[in-house]
Amino acid sequence: MVKARTQFVCQNCGTAHSRWVGKCEGCGEWNTVVEEDPMGGIGSGPGKVPKKGRPVALTALSGEIEEAPRIHTRISELDRATGGGFVRGSAVLIGGDPGIGKSTLLMQAAAALSRGGHRVIYVSGEEAVAQVRLRAQRLQAAETDVLLAAETNVEDILATIGEGKRPDLVIIDSIQTLWSDTADAAPGTVTQVRTGVQAMIRFAKQTGAAMVLVGHVTKDGQIAGPRVVEHMVDAVLYFEGDRGHHYRILRTVKNRFGPTDEIGVFEMSDKGLREVSNPSELFLGERNAKSPGAAVFAGMEGTRPVLVEVQALVAPTSLGTPRRAIVGWDSARLSMILAVLEAHCGVRLGQHDVYLNVAGGYRISEPAADLAVASALVSSLAGLALPADCVYFGEVSLSGAIRPVAHTAQRLKEAEKLGFSQAVLPAGSADLPKGAGGQWTEIESLPDLVARIAGSKRALQREDEDV
């Protein structure tokens, strides 16, 4: 009989190795290669005879569609990020930096659901029951009927939450502390995390309880552990924020039951997280309208329009290589905007340091911010403040043309609601509203924008000379 050969498989990417290695050759991750028994697999030689499968029923694509039942948390920003509430039988993974407020948010959500008559179980693997009770008292949630447990063993957790009435929501804080008797590895390793998450998801699918899993993040901002965990769950949420600011953003990056680009905005206080229904006022609250290099960008986060200030500082450099410092935007996209300004507009920035910042610690991901960034850069270089009641949005191409972006009407409506009466936007926008009271300037290319700002500067200089 041929002896079955042992193989070593990376738990992150699935690459098979003939021997154990510290660094996977497929994905480059360290300490992810684990020995696995290939007995019964394809090409593994004699082994167990595979059990004959049973045929399953096949159905057509046409038919009635039943909407997934949801559990509304009564926290509107959390419900917005999850697509309308937690879906029964789903698994949601929430990640974020340490101390950002993940446990605080989930405790507030658990208390709100408990007040609504739902059965909620909170399992903490990092804190004792007394510590969780202290947080609940600070959040005024101690009087609710949330059930607590401090346990890390997967089998004990499943036995506990499986007793009695089925829970509506189960919170596991966090998956890095789970360990199972079936996996021969230390808690927090790739094998234990994958085994524990798989067991929790299986319980959620079998019972119909909504499962919320908390995950740690690495120094790169990604959820720690095997990447396969994010594929196993139904939704992945990131809790973001800056320690220097009070606001927090709950961003959806994956959602099988709703949109994947929604955000929920919160503000941290001594009584927990407070919902921010109008985040534009939060990001524009400390704006100085008379300073050069500041442009207001009308952006979109899912179905929500958000107005945020883009700040730029262009200063002569004393170094051989000028500095490019960016906070809240893509550095590669800034390099593209600088190249287009120099190639097509004659704006020389090769001997200047460029600093770009998105106010409030907010991070912009959509290319519609190109026009606002270019306006802020030209404004800072010219030393001319842009109009205080004007917003900018549009995508800049490599040829210098301004390309239209989606949701023009919603961006303009949000700007008008906050008192902005002017807008600089791409020409030919499809959903431009008719008959509104705002003054909109449509431009076709980036040189038109530079000429517009330069013309405003010359007009101001003539007024000063006349005075």
PDB file of all heavy atoms in Angstrom, residues 93-98 100 102 215-225 227 230 236-241 251 253 363:
ATOM      1  N   LEU A  93     -19.246  40.568  10.487  1.00  0.00           N
ATOM      2  CA  LEU A  93     -17.906  40.744  11.043  1.00  0.00           C
ATOM      3  C   LEU A  93     -17.613  42.234  11.137  1.00  0.00           C
ATOM      4  O   LEU A  93     -17.701  42.964  10.140  1.00  0.00           O
ATOM      5  CB  LEU A  93     -16.868  40.056  10.158  1.00  0.00           C
ATOM      6  CG  LEU A  93     -15.397  40.171  10.581  1.00  0.00           C
ATOM      7  CD1 LEU A  93     -15.177  39.561  11.950  1.00  0.00           C
ATOM      8  CD2 LEU A  93     -14.494  39.518   9.544  1.00  0.00           C
ATOM      9  N   ILE A  94     -17.275  42.711  12.331  1.00  0.00           N
ATOM     10  CA  ILE A  94     -16.975  44.121  12.573  1.00  0.00           C
ATOM     11  C   ILE A  94     -15.521  44.229  13.017  1.00  0.00           C
ATOM     12  O   ILE A  94     -15.111  43.568  13.981  1.00  0.00           O
ATOM     13  CB  ILE A  94     -17.906  44.725  13.640  1.00  0.00           C
ATOM     14  CG1 ILE A  94     -19.359  44.688  13.154  1.00  0.00           C
ATOM     15  CG2 ILE A  94     -17.511  46.159  13.956  1.00  0.00           C
ATOM     16  CD1 ILE A  94     -20.346  45.275  14.138  1.00  0.00           C
ATOM     17  N   GLY A  95     -14.740  45.036  12.316  1.00  0.00           N
ATOM     18  CA  GLY A  95     -13.338  45.257  12.651  1.00  0.00           C
ATOM     19  C   GLY A  95     -13.069  46.718  12.920  1.00  0.00           C
ATOM     20  O   GLY A  95     -13.827  47.601  12.509  1.00  0.00           O
ATOM     21  N   GLY A  96     -11.964  46.982  13.595  1.00  0.00           N
ATOM     22  CA  GLY A  96     -11.590  48.362  13.918  1.00  0.00           C
ATOM     23  C   GLY A  96     -10.393  48.393  14.834  1.00  0.00           C
ATOM     24  O   GLY A  96     -10.010  47.381  15.438  1.00  0.00           O
ATOM     25  N   ASP A  97      -9.780  49.563  14.932  1.00  0.00           N
ATOM     26  CA  ASP A  97      -8.616  49.734  15.788  1.00  0.00           C
ATOM     27  C   ASP A  97      -8.983  49.516  17.253  1.00  0.00           C
ATOM     28  O   ASP A  97     -10.140  49.698  17.650  1.00  0.00           O
ATOM     29  CB  ASP A  97      -8.028  51.136  15.607  1.00  0.00           C
ATOM     30  CG  ASP A  97      -7.456  51.341  14.214  1.00  0.00           C
ATOM     31  OD1 ASP A  97      -7.031  50.344  13.613  1.00  0.00           O
ATOM     32  OD2 ASP A  97      -7.443  52.485  13.741  1.00  0.00           O
ATOM     33  N   PRO A  98      -8.006  49.162  18.090  1.00  0.00           N
ATOM     34  CA  PRO A  98      -8.293  49.011  19.528  1.00  0.00           C
ATOM     35  C   PRO A  98      -8.753  50.322  20.142  1.00  0.00           C
ATOM     36  O   PRO A  98      -8.172  51.383  19.890  1.00  0.00           O
ATOM     37  CB  PRO A  98      -6.943  48.560  20.110  1.00  0.00           C
ATOM     38  CG  PRO A  98      -6.185  47.990  18.953  1.00  0.00           C
ATOM     39  CD  PRO A  98      -6.623  48.756  17.752  1.00  0.00           C
ATOM     40  N   ILE A 100     -11.479  51.982  19.520  1.00  0.00           N
ATOM     41  CA  ILE A 100     -12.200  52.873  18.620  1.00  0.00           C
ATOM     42  C   ILE A 100     -13.677  52.951  18.972  1.00  0.00           C
ATOM     43  O   ILE A 100     -14.369  53.905  18.604  1.00  0.00           O
ATOM     44  CB  ILE A 100     -12.010  52.418  17.161  1.00  0.00           C
ATOM     45  CG1 ILE A 100     -12.195  53.597  16.192  1.00  0.00           C
ATOM     46  CG2 ILE A 100     -12.952  51.287  16.820  1.00  0.00           C
ATOM     47  CD1 ILE A 100     -11.126  54.637  16.280  1.00  0.00           C
ATOM     48  N   LYS A 102     -15.811  49.702  19.207  1.00  0.00           N
ATOM     49  CA  LYS A 102     -16.585  48.550  18.709  1.00  0.00           C
ATOM     50  C   LYS A 102     -17.464  47.964  19.811  1.00  0.00           C
ATOM     51  O   LYS A 102     -18.664  47.741  19.609  1.00  0.00           O
ATOM     52  CB  LYS A 102     -15.634  47.472  18.169  1.00  0.00           C
ATOM     53  CG  LYS A 102     -14.713  47.934  17.052  1.00  0.00           C
ATOM     54  CD  LYS A 102     -13.881  46.787  16.517  1.00  0.00           C
ATOM     55  CE  LYS A 102     -12.939  46.202  17.570  1.00  0.00           C
ATOM     56  NZ  LYS A 102     -11.927  47.172  18.034  1.00  0.00           N
ATOM     57  N   GLY A 215     -13.626  41.533  15.247  1.00  0.00           N
ATOM     58  CA  GLY A 215     -12.292  41.119  14.839  1.00  0.00           C
ATOM     59  C   GLY A 215     -11.269  42.211  15.061  1.00  0.00           C
ATOM     60  O   GLY A 215     -11.569  43.404  14.906  1.00  0.00           O
ATOM     61  N   HIS A 216     -10.056  41.812  15.434  1.00  0.00           N
ATOM     62  CA  HIS A 216      -8.966  42.768  15.552  1.00  0.00           C
ATOM     63  C   HIS A 216      -8.465  43.147  14.159  1.00  0.00           C
ATOM     64  O   HIS A 216      -8.726  42.463  13.174  1.00  0.00           O
ATOM     65  CB  HIS A 216      -7.818  42.178  16.367  1.00  0.00           C
ATOM     66  CG  HIS A 216      -8.193  41.880  17.784  1.00  0.00           C
ATOM     67  ND1 HIS A 216      -7.401  41.129  18.624  1.00  0.00           N
ATOM     68  CD2 HIS A 216      -9.281  42.208  18.516  1.00  0.00           C
ATOM     69  CE1 HIS A 216      -7.980  41.032  19.805  1.00  0.00           C
ATOM     70  NE2 HIS A 216      -9.129  41.668  19.760  1.00  0.00           N
ATOM     71  N   VAL A 217      -7.734  44.235  14.081  1.00  0.00           N
ATOM     72  CA  VAL A 217      -7.148  44.654  12.805  1.00  0.00           C
ATOM     73  C   VAL A 217      -5.627  44.694  12.947  1.00  0.00           C
ATOM     74  O   VAL A 217      -5.080  44.850  14.038  1.00  0.00           O
ATOM     75  CB  VAL A 217      -7.661  46.047  12.376  1.00  0.00           C
ATOM     76  CG1 VAL A 217      -9.142  46.012  12.087  1.00  0.00           C
ATOM     77  CG2 VAL A 217      -7.337  47.101  13.419  1.00  0.00           C
ATOM     78  N   THR A 218      -4.955  44.547  11.811  1.00  0.00           N
ATOM     79  CA  THR A 218      -3.499  44.600  11.771  1.00  0.00           C
ATOM     80  C   THR A 218      -3.044  46.054  11.665  1.00  0.00           C
ATOM     81  O   THR A 218      -3.853  46.985  11.605  1.00  0.00           O
ATOM     82  CB  THR A 218      -2.980  43.791  10.582  1.00  0.00           C
ATOM     83  OG1 THR A 218      -3.477  44.382   9.367  1.00  0.00           O
ATOM     84  CG2 THR A 218      -3.472  42.356  10.659  1.00  0.00           C
ATOM     85  N   LYS A 219      -1.719  46.242  11.607  1.00  0.00           N
ATOM     86  CA  LYS A 219      -1.191  47.602  11.487  1.00  0.00           C
ATOM     87  C   LYS A 219      -1.535  48.223  10.133  1.00  0.00           C
ATOM     88  O   LYS A 219      -1.499  49.452   9.999  1.00  0.00           O
ATOM     89  CB  LYS A 219       0.325  47.586  11.671  1.00  0.00           C
ATOM     90  CG  LYS A 219       1.070  46.738  10.652  1.00  0.00           C
ATOM     91  CD  LYS A 219       2.559  46.746  10.907  1.00  0.00           C
ATOM     92  CE  LYS A 219       3.317  45.894   9.886  1.00  0.00           C
ATOM     93  NZ  LYS A 219       4.777  45.896  10.144  1.00  0.00           N
ATOM     94  N   ASP A 220      -1.878  47.401   9.147  1.00  0.00           N
ATOM     95  CA  ASP A 220      -2.290  47.912   7.841  1.00  0.00           C
ATOM     96  C   ASP A 220      -3.771  48.256   7.784  1.00  0.00           C
ATOM     97  O   ASP A 220      -4.257  48.717   6.752  1.00  0.00           O
ATOM     98  CB  ASP A 220      -1.977  46.887   6.747  1.00  0.00           C
ATOM     99  CG  ASP A 220      -0.485  46.610   6.638  1.00  0.00           C
ATOM    100  OD1 ASP A 220       0.298  47.541   6.911  1.00  0.00           O
ATOM    101  OD2 ASP A 220      -0.109  45.474   6.292  1.00  0.00           O
ATOM    102  N   GLY A 221      -4.497  48.015   8.874  1.00  0.00           N
ATOM    103  CA  GLY A 221      -5.922  48.312   8.903  1.00  0.00           C
ATOM    104  C   GLY A 221      -6.816  47.195   8.449  1.00  0.00           C
ATOM    105  O   GLY A 221      -8.040  47.349   8.411  1.00  0.00           O
ATOM    106  N   GLN A 222      -6.253  46.019   8.115  1.00  0.00           N
ATOM    107  CA  GLN A 222      -7.047  44.878   7.686  1.00  0.00           C
ATOM    108  C   GLN A 222      -7.410  44.006   8.887  1.00  0.00           C
ATOM    109  O   GLN A 222      -6.695  43.978   9.882  1.00  0.00           O
ATOM    110  CB  GLN A 222      -6.278  44.038   6.658  1.00  0.00           C
ATOM    111  CG  GLN A 222      -5.841  44.808   5.438  1.00  0.00           C
ATOM    112  CD  GLN A 222      -7.005  45.294   4.594  1.00  0.00           C
ATOM    113  OE1 GLN A 222      -8.032  44.630   4.504  1.00  0.00           O
ATOM    114  NE2 GLN A 222      -6.856  46.449   3.976  1.00  0.00           N
ATOM    115  N   ILE A 223      -8.535  43.301   8.772  1.00  0.00           N
ATOM    116  CA  ILE A 223      -8.952  42.422   9.864  1.00  0.00           C
ATOM    117  C   ILE A 223      -7.958  41.281   9.980  1.00  0.00           C
ATOM    118  O   ILE A 223      -7.624  40.619   8.992  1.00  0.00           O
ATOM    119  CB  ILE A 223     -10.368  41.892   9.611  1.00  0.00           C
ATOM    120  CG1 ILE A 223     -11.377  43.052   9.631  1.00  0.00           C
ATOM    121  CG2 ILE A 223     -10.750  40.854  10.661  1.00  0.00           C
ATOM    122  CD1 ILE A 223     -12.792  42.630   9.396  1.00  0.00           C
ATOM    123  N   ALA A 224      -7.450  41.060  11.189  1.00  0.00           N
ATOM    124  CA  ALA A 224      -6.437  40.042  11.418  1.00  0.00           C
ATOM    125  C   ALA A 224      -7.031  38.655  11.235  1.00  0.00           C
ATOM    126  O   ALA A 224      -8.233  38.432  11.421  1.00  0.00           O
ATOM    127  CB  ALA A 224      -5.853  40.195  12.826  1.00  0.00           C
ATOM    128  N   GLY A 225      -6.156  37.718  10.877  1.00  0.00           N
ATOM    129  CA  GLY A 225      -6.593  36.348  10.681  1.00  0.00           C
ATOM    130  C   GLY A 225      -6.647  35.992   9.205  1.00  0.00           C
ATOM    131  O   GLY A 225      -6.279  36.785   8.339  1.00  0.00           O
ATOM    132  N   ARG A 227      -7.819  35.483   5.473  1.00  0.00           N
ATOM    133  CA  ARG A 227      -8.719  36.268   4.620  1.00  0.00           C
ATOM    134  C   ARG A 227     -10.009  35.518   4.323  1.00  0.00           C
ATOM    135  O   ARG A 227     -11.042  36.127   3.997  1.00  0.00           O
ATOM    136  CB  ARG A 227      -7.996  36.585   3.310  1.00  0.00           C
ATOM    137  CG  ARG A 227      -8.655  37.659   2.476  1.00  0.00           C
ATOM    138  CD  ARG A 227      -8.405  39.031   3.055  1.00  0.00           C
ATOM    139  NE  ARG A 227      -9.036  40.077   2.287  1.00  0.00           N
ATOM    140  CZ  ARG A 227      -8.818  41.362   2.471  1.00  0.00           C
ATOM    141  NH1 ARG A 227      -7.973  41.745   3.403  1.00  0.00           N
ATOM    142  NH2 ARG A 227      -9.423  42.272   1.746  1.00  0.00           N
ATOM    143  N   GLU A 230     -13.432  36.654   5.937  1.00  0.00           N
ATOM    144  CA  GLU A 230     -14.263  37.680   5.330  1.00  0.00           C
ATOM    145  C   GLU A 230     -15.135  37.111   4.222  1.00  0.00           C
ATOM    146  O   GLU A 230     -16.192  37.661   3.915  1.00  0.00           O
ATOM    147  CB  GLU A 230     -13.382  38.810   4.790  1.00  0.00           C
ATOM    148  CG  GLU A 230     -12.582  39.523   5.870  1.00  0.00           C
ATOM    149  CD  GLU A 230     -11.875  40.757   5.336  1.00  0.00           C
ATOM    150  OE1 GLU A 230     -12.353  41.338   4.347  1.00  0.00           O
ATOM    151  OE2 GLU A 230     -10.832  41.132   5.899  1.00  0.00           O
ATOM    152  N   VAL A 236     -19.263  42.547   6.166  1.00  0.00           N
ATOM    153  CA  VAL A 236     -18.035  43.001   6.805  1.00  0.00           C
ATOM    154  C   VAL A 236     -18.135  44.515   6.990  1.00  0.00           C
ATOM    155  O   VAL A 236     -18.337  45.253   6.020  1.00  0.00           O
ATOM    156  CB  VAL A 236     -16.784  42.647   5.973  1.00  0.00           C
ATOM    157  CG1 VAL A 236     -15.531  43.148   6.680  1.00  0.00           C
ATOM    158  CG2 VAL A 236     -16.702  41.153   5.742  1.00  0.00           C
ATOM    159  N   LEU A 237     -18.011  44.964   8.224  1.00  0.00           N
ATOM    160  CA  LEU A 237     -18.075  46.385   8.561  1.00  0.00           C
ATOM    161  C   LEU A 237     -16.764  46.798   9.206  1.00  0.00           C
ATOM    162  O   LEU A 237     -16.203  46.051  10.012  1.00  0.00           O
ATOM    163  CB  LEU A 237     -19.241  46.674   9.514  1.00  0.00           C
ATOM    164  CG  LEU A 237     -20.631  46.151   9.118  1.00  0.00           C
ATOM    165  CD1 LEU A 237     -21.640  46.495  10.202  1.00  0.00           C
ATOM    166  CD2 LEU A 237     -21.071  46.738   7.799  1.00  0.00           C
ATOM    167  N   TYR A 238     -16.300  47.993   8.861  1.00  0.00           N
ATOM    168  CA  TYR A 238     -15.100  48.562   9.473  1.00  0.00           C
ATOM    169  C   TYR A 238     -15.502  49.791  10.277  1.00  0.00           C
ATOM    170  O   TYR A 238     -16.192  50.684   9.771  1.00  0.00           O
ATOM    171  CB  TYR A 238     -14.077  48.947   8.404  1.00  0.00           C
ATOM    172  CG  TYR A 238     -13.224  47.793   7.925  1.00  0.00           C
ATOM    173  CD1 TYR A 238     -13.639  46.977   6.885  1.00  0.00           C
ATOM    174  CD2 TYR A 238     -11.996  47.525   8.515  1.00  0.00           C
ATOM    175  CE1 TYR A 238     -12.870  45.922   6.443  1.00  0.00           C
ATOM    176  CE2 TYR A 238     -11.222  46.466   8.074  1.00  0.00           C
ATOM    177  CZ  TYR A 238     -11.657  45.670   7.040  1.00  0.00           C
ATOM    178  OH  TYR A 238     -10.880  44.623   6.612  1.00  0.00           O
ATOM    179  N   PHE A 239     -15.050  49.820  11.522  1.00  0.00           N
ATOM    180  CA  PHE A 239     -15.307  50.967  12.393  1.00  0.00           C
ATOM    181  C   PHE A 239     -14.065  51.839  12.363  1.00  0.00           C
ATOM    182  O   PHE A 239     -13.014  51.449  12.876  1.00  0.00           O
ATOM    183  CB  PHE A 239     -15.624  50.487  13.809  1.00  0.00           C
ATOM    184  CG  PHE A 239     -16.498  51.428  14.586  1.00  0.00           C
ATOM    185  CD1 PHE A 239     -17.588  52.028  13.995  1.00  0.00           C
ATOM    186  CD2 PHE A 239     -16.246  51.706  15.912  1.00  0.00           C
ATOM    187  CE1 PHE A 239     -18.401  52.895  14.700  1.00  0.00           C
ATOM    188  CE2 PHE A 239     -17.047  52.568  16.631  1.00  0.00           C
ATOM    189  CZ  PHE A 239     -18.136  53.159  16.017  1.00  0.00           C
ATOM    190  N   GLU A 240     -14.173  53.019  11.751  1.00  0.00           N
ATOM    191  CA  GLU A 240     -13.030  53.873  11.522  1.00  0.00           C
ATOM    192  C   GLU A 240     -13.147  55.150  12.338  1.00  0.00           C
ATOM    193  O   GLU A 240     -14.228  55.540  12.765  1.00  0.00           O
ATOM    194  CB  GLU A 240     -12.918  54.236  10.028  1.00  0.00           C
ATOM    195  CG  GLU A 240     -12.883  53.037   9.107  1.00  0.00           C
ATOM    196  CD  GLU A 240     -12.968  53.427   7.657  1.00  0.00           C
ATOM    197  OE1 GLU A 240     -13.188  54.628   7.380  1.00  0.00           O
ATOM    198  OE2 GLU A 240     -12.813  52.556   6.787  1.00  0.00           O
ATOM    199  N   GLY A 241     -12.020  55.809  12.486  1.00  0.00           N
ATOM    200  CA  GLY A 241     -12.009  57.090  13.174  1.00  0.00           C
ATOM    201  C   GLY A 241     -10.604  57.485  13.565  1.00  0.00           C
ATOM    202  O   GLY A 241      -9.662  56.683  13.507  1.00  0.00           O
ATOM    203  N   ARG A 251     -18.221  51.783   8.246  1.00  0.00           N
ATOM    204  CA  ARG A 251     -18.218  51.666   6.793  1.00  0.00           C
ATOM    205  C   ARG A 251     -18.464  50.211   6.393  1.00  0.00           C
ATOM    206  O   ARG A 251     -17.841  49.294   6.918  1.00  0.00           O
ATOM    207  CB  ARG A 251     -16.883  52.141   6.232  1.00  0.00           C
ATOM    208  CG  ARG A 251     -16.845  52.237   4.713  1.00  0.00           C
ATOM    209  CD  ARG A 251     -15.459  52.681   4.250  1.00  0.00           C
ATOM    210  NE  ARG A 251     -15.071  53.937   4.842  1.00  0.00           N
ATOM    211  CZ  ARG A 251     -15.391  55.127   4.344  1.00  0.00           C
ATOM    212  NH1 ARG A 251     -16.116  55.189   3.240  1.00  0.00           N
ATOM    213  NH2 ARG A 251     -14.987  56.223   4.933  1.00  0.00           N
ATOM    214  N   VAL A 253     -18.080  47.275   3.757  1.00  0.00           N
ATOM    215  CA  VAL A 253     -17.250  46.865   2.629  1.00  0.00           C
ATOM    216  C   VAL A 253     -17.768  45.585   1.976  1.00  0.00           C
ATOM    217  O   VAL A 253     -17.368  45.260   0.862  1.00  0.00           O
ATOM    218  CB  VAL A 253     -15.783  46.670   3.063  1.00  0.00           C
ATOM    219  CG1 VAL A 253     -15.192  47.980   3.549  1.00  0.00           C
ATOM    220  CG2 VAL A 253     -15.662  45.610   4.141  1.00  0.00           C
ATOM    221  N   ARG A 363     -11.851  60.261   5.121  1.00  0.00           N
ATOM    222  CA  ARG A 363     -11.104  59.687   4.005  1.00  0.00           C
ATOM    223  C   ARG A 363     -11.995  59.600   2.780  1.00  0.00           C
ATOM    224  O   ARG A 363     -13.090  59.039   2.835  1.00  0.00           O
ATOM    225  CB  ARG A 363     -10.554  58.306   4.352  1.00  0.00           C
ATOM    226  CG  ARG A 363      -9.762  57.683   3.196  1.00  0.00           C
ATOM    227  CD  ARG A 363      -8.934  56.505   3.610  1.00  0.00           C
ATOM    228  NE  ARG A 363      -8.145  56.016   2.493  1.00  0.00           N
ATOM    229  CZ  ARG A 363      -6.990  56.519   2.096  1.00  0.00           C
ATOM    230  NH1 ARG A 363      -6.485  57.553   2.750  1.00  0.00           N
ATOM    231  NH2 ARG A 363      -6.336  56.026   1.073  1.00  0.00           N
TER     232      ARG A 363
END
